[in-house]
């Protein structure tokens, strides 16, 4: 309820004129709470004929839930009759003849009728103004939320850039140094007998370039994910055949004696996004290779049953410390036992986002020194 200016009514002629032609509803109420007079605007406002209102308790115009408070307030007014907003601090509601409730603003004045003290209630329907106020408050709340989210996003983005610069300055240094040193040495290997050494440094350059590319791809993919720009483009394809192509691609980074054992059961065809699945498989297989020692086997299996795809990638590597496992999917997070192994700490965060885009889940089990198993589940289509 909003406050309303009040009137002290001393001129009967003035009051009669106001009563008939006012654009607000006016009621004259006795000390007993009965309606003595109601102007035409009241009839229009509440849907009653004048004859239906005269003599009725004023509470007939008030919803039942509010009547007790109204009676208490009315009695208090007649004990101290002075002009004031009625029910100050309360939300006031009125009720039409057809039972419809609506918000009102009521102000009180006093009036002498037949030598009796009467209360004069000025009733204004504030439905539209209240609706406008609520709409304005909703827009302000929505805009405030947008600004807050924007500021949080900007802060997070700045933090991400700062951490990326810090990470990149460290991670880029090693492969760039390897590239420069290998290029310098290649120039010295000119004879036929030195071709093996030359080939070794060429492979070293290729590996360093792959590392740099992986770092940049991780950051670009994360930026897209943060901005909600990752999209799904589904197509039908043979999943085992697709998985074998991925295995062939990562064979080039296997350490000495490492092998990938692959098996598939159930259906073969799925309807999914190949690019997203490729990123998931490449990241998990690359991690398994990276964090496993030489001569170890990486187990890669796919099972499709009951319209669900189950992917398991198990390594026999260094594992993840138990107390750190809860942080594994965090941005830039790297476990304490991988300090000497290159990485951005972004890969698994991106994988989790990709899996969620497929309406899937990713879980893992790990024991330090004994390896890690990742399990990805997502719908077949």
């Amino acid at each position: 309820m909003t406050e309303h200016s009040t009137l002290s009514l001393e001129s009967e002629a003035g009051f009669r004129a106001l009563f008939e032609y006012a654009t607000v509803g006016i009621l004259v109420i006795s000390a007993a709470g009965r309606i003595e007079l109601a102007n035409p605007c009241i009839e229009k406002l509440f849907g009653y004929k004048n004859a239906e209102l005269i003599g009725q308790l004023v509470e007939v115009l008030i919803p039942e839930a509010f009547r007790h408070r109204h009676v208490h307030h009315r009695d208090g007014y007649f004990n101290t009759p002075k002009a004031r907003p009625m029910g100050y601090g309360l939300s006031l509601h009125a009720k039409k003849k057809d039972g419809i409730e609506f918000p009102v603003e009521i102000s009180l004045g006093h009036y002498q009728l037949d030598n009796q003290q009467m209360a004069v209630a000025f009733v204004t329907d504030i439905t539209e103004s209240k609706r406008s106020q609520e709409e304005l408050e909703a827009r302000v709340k929505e805009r405030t939320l947008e600004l807050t989210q924007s500021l949080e996003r900007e802060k997070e983005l700045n933090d991400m850039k700062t951490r990326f610069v810090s990470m990149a300055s460290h991670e880029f240094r090693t492969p760039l140094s390897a590239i420069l040193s290998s290029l310098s040495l290649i120039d010295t290997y000119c004879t036929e007998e030195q071709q093996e050494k030359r080939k070794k440094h060429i492979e070293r350059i290729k590996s360093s370039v792959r590392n740099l590319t992986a770092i940049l791809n991780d950051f670009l993919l994360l930026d897209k994910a943060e901005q909600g720009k990752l999209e799904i483009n589904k197509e039908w394809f043979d999943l085992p055949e697709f998985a074998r192509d991925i295995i062939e691609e990562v064979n080039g980074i296997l350490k000495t004696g490492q092998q990938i054992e692959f098996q598939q059961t159930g259906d073969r065809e799925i309807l999914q996004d190949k690019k997203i699945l490729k990123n998931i498989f490449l990241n998990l297989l690359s991690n398994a290779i990276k964090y496993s020692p030489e001569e170890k086997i990486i187990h890669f299996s796919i099972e499709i049953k009951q319209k669900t795809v189950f992917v398991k990638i198990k390594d026999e590597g260094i594992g993840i410390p138990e107390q750190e496992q809860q942080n594994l999917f965090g941005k830039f997070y790297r476990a304490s036992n991988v300090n000497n192994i290159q990485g951005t700490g972004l890969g698994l965060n991106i994988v989790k986002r990709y899996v969620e885009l497929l309406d899937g889940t990713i879980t893992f089990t790990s024991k330090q020194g004994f390896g890690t198993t990742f399990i990805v589940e997502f719908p077949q289509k």
Side-chain angles (χ1 to χ4, degrees):
M1 186 199 75
T2 57
E3 285 195 60
H4 191 285
S5 59
T6 59
L7 295 175
S8 178
L9 302 170
E10 299 176 354
S11 166
E12 183 173 347
F15 173 67
R16 289 291 181 180
L18 174 66
F19 188 81
E20 292 297 327
Y21 301 107
T23 57
V24 298
I26 302 176
L27 289 168
V28 176
I29 306 162
S30 70
R34 295 193 180 278
I35 300 171
E36 300 294 333
L37 296 172
N39 75 338
C41 194
I42 286 288
E43 297 180 43
K44 183 177 179 182
L45 198 59
F46 288 91
Y48 285 97
K49 296 295 183 182
N50 193 279
E52 294 178 289
L53 289 175
I54 303 305
Q56 293 280 353
L57 287 171
V58 71
E59 281 75 30
V60 73
L61 304 178
I62 297 171
E64 188 173 346
F66 297 91
R67 287 177 184 174
H68 176 74
R69 282 192 296 174
H70 180 269
V71 170
H72 174 76
H73 195 90
R74 169 168 56 79
D75 292 343
Y77 172 76
F78 279 102
N79 289 331
T80 55
K82 61 180 180 180
R84 60 186 172 184
M86 182 176 182
Y88 181 73
L90 299 175
S91 294
L92 296 183
H93 292 76
K95 184 178 75 171
K96 296 178 184 287
K97 182 178 179 179
D98 59 10
I100 294 176
E101 298 181 14
F102 62 104
V104 293
E105 175 185 85
I106 299 177
S107 294
L108 294 178
H110 51 83
Y111 180 65
Q112 290 285 338
L113 181 65
D114 297 331
N115 296 319
Q116 294 185 40
Q117 183 69 34
M118 300 285 177
V120 181
F122 298 85
V123 184
T124 305
D125 183 350
I126 59 170
T127 301
E128 289 303 320
S129 61
K130 190 168 184 178
R131 182 182 295 119
S132 298
Q133 182 182 353
E134 289 173 349
E135 289 175 355
L136 177 60
E137 289 175 352
R139 287 198 297 269
V140 170
K141 185 177 180 181
E142 182 181 358
R143 183 57 179 157
T144 301
L145 179 61
E146 289 175 357
L147 289 172
T148 301
Q149 291 174 338
S150 178
L151 288 171
E152 289 176 351
R153 161 69 182 151
E154 185 176 353
K155 182 179 181 296
E156 188 175 354
L157 186 59
N158 288 335
D159 181 59
M160 186 173 71
K161 288 178 179 178
T162 300
R163 296 185 69 174
F164 174 73
V165 170
S166 175
M167 175 271 299
S169 64
H170 177 266
E171 295 296 331
F172 278 38
R173 188 177 293 113
T174 300
L176 286 173
S177 298
I179 290 170
L180 288 173
S181 63
S182 291
L183 285 172
S184 299
L185 289 170
I186 283 174
D187 284 339
T188 66
Y189 301 141
C190 302
T191 65
E192 187 70 29
E193 293 79 14
Q194 294 174 318
Q195 287 306 303
E196 193 61 35
K197 292 182 178 179
R198 188 182 182 89
K199 182 179 178 182
K200 178 182 176 182
H201 283 286
I202 289 173
E203 288 302 319
R204 188 183 179 196
I205 290 171
K206 288 180 179 179
S207 176
S208 296
V209 170
R210 281 195 294 266
N211 287 338
L212 289 172
T213 302
I215 292 171
L216 290 173
N217 283 342
D218 281 352
F219 185 71
L220 292 173
L221 285 171
L222 179 61
D223 187 54
K224 280 187 176 182
E226 291 289 323
Q227 297 185 47
K229 293 182 178 179
L230 295 176
E231 298 179 351
I232 297 285
N233 295 298
K234 293 185 177 183
E235 58 184 291
W236 284 101
F237 60 95
D238 186 302
L239 183 57
E241 182 180 328
F242 173 79
R244 290 190 179 92
D245 289 340
I246 302 296
I247 292 170
E248 186 175 339
E249 188 170 336
V250 298
N251 276 340
I253 61 172
L254 287 172
K255 297 173 185 175
T256 303
Q258 283 185 339
Q259 296 180 50
I260 298 175
E261 289 189 352
F262 175 70
Q263 67 177 47
Q264 186 271 338
T265 56
D267 297 339
R268 299 178 64 92
E269 294 287 321
I270 68 167
L271 177 65
Q272 279 297 352
D273 189 305
K274 294 179 75 172
K275 288 183 179 179
I276 287 180
L277 273 184
K278 182 176 182 179
N279 187 280
I280 293 170
F281 288 178
L282 278 177
N283 197 293
L284 294 178
L285 286 172
S286 297
N287 280 353
I289 294 168
K290 184 192 299 185
Y291 298 119
S292 296
E294 297 179 352
E295 308 296 335
K296 292 295 183 179
I297 294 175
I298 293 155
H299 305 271
F300 181 18
S301 67
I302 295 175
E303 181 181 16
I304 303 177
K305 63 179 181 180
Q306 297 178 344
K307 305 300 181 182
T308 302
V309 180
F310 299 86
V311 178
K312 182 186 290 186
I313 295 178
K314 178 182 178 183
D315 65 54
E316 301 172 14
I318 61 176
I320 305 159
E322 183 177 355
Q323 66 274 19
E324 300 178 35
Q325 292 181 12
Q326 61 182 355
N327 303 316
L328 191 62
F329 294 107
K331 282 181 293 189
F332 295 101
Y333 176 76
R334 304 199 75 213
S336 59
N337 60 338
V338 300
N339 290 335
N340 297 323
I341 304 173
Q342 282 190 322
T344 64
L346 295 176
L348 287 176
N349 180 270
I350 294 168
V351 166
K352 188 173 187 296
R353 290 171 184 263
Y354 270 140
V355 171
E356 289 171 350
L357 274 179
L358 300 181
D359 295 323
T361 60
I362 179 169
T363 57
F364 70 93
T365 57
S366 184
K367 186 175 181 180
Q368 191 169 3
F370 292 90
T372 302
T373 301
F374 282 95
I375 298 174
V376 176
E377 299 179 30
F378 56 89
Q380 185 177 4
K381 62 180 180 178

